[in-house]
Amino acid sequence: MDKIKSLHRISGIIIAIFAAAHLFNHAMAWYGIETHREIMEALRTIYRQPVVEIVLLLCFGFQVYSGIRQAMALRKVPHLSLNDRLQMFAGWAFAFFIVQHIGAVVGQRLYFGTDTDFYFAARVVLEAPFKYYFVPYYFLGIMALGIHVAATHRKKIAGMVSDKQAKFHALVITALAFFTAMLILYVFMGGRYVIVMPKV
């Protein structure tokens, strides 16, 4: 289990770097669809390299597998702390988000040749009936990631700083996830500017 925990942590760091870049890309849509596209294309030159993409997919897959194993082990612990519970349940939620999100994005690109660009994401949060599922889906996905990272970070720095400081760090990370989710959804739902969807 210790080896799985170590690999879970390493794959988690890789995913966190990718997720930060991905969310930054979406947040920069605040400055316009063209800005979003330019950043996306620059990032794609890195993460769509075959080797990089395979490594990312393997990391996501292992993260789900190892996360489930660790969560099942945690369920046997009689008295879990609130932080452990937050870490576990946020991990479950993020695993669900990962499986569906990657399946949809990669599947659409490989099987249907769909460009998973700004409009691909905006369509499902703008148009009914999709938006009634995908607005909470994206919000909860980002929040699950944020809470899981916050709880993990709090546990990691426990003993190095006071409990009050560790809790403050976790709250800041969670608040940042909340702000990021709200900003992205505000932009992609047409709050910043009018979004005219291209005809398909």
Side-chain angles (χ1 to χ4, degrees), residues 133-144:
Y133 175 78
F134 282 100
V135 170
Y137 163 80
Y138 280 119
F139 176 77
L140 293 174
I142 295 172
M143 286 305 299

Side-chain angles (χ1 to χ4, degrees), residues 89-150:
F89 290 123
W92 278 109
F94 188 59
F96 169 78
F97 178 83
I98 285 175
V99 170
Q100 182 172 345
H101 188 62
I102 291 180
V105 172
V106 175
Q108 286 286 331
R109 177 162 62 92
L110 294 181
Y111 291 101
F112 300 104
T114 304
D115 185 7
T116 53
D117 58 2
F118 175 91
Y119 295 107
F120 175 80
R123 185 179 301 277
V124 295
V125 295
L126 272 173
E127 299 179 354
F130 309 110
K131 64 182 180 180
Y132 302 121
Y133 175 78
F134 282 100
V135 170
Y137 163 80
Y138 280 119
F139 176 77
L140 293 174
I142 295 172
M143 286 305 299
L145 173 62
I147 292 170
H148 188 68
V149 169

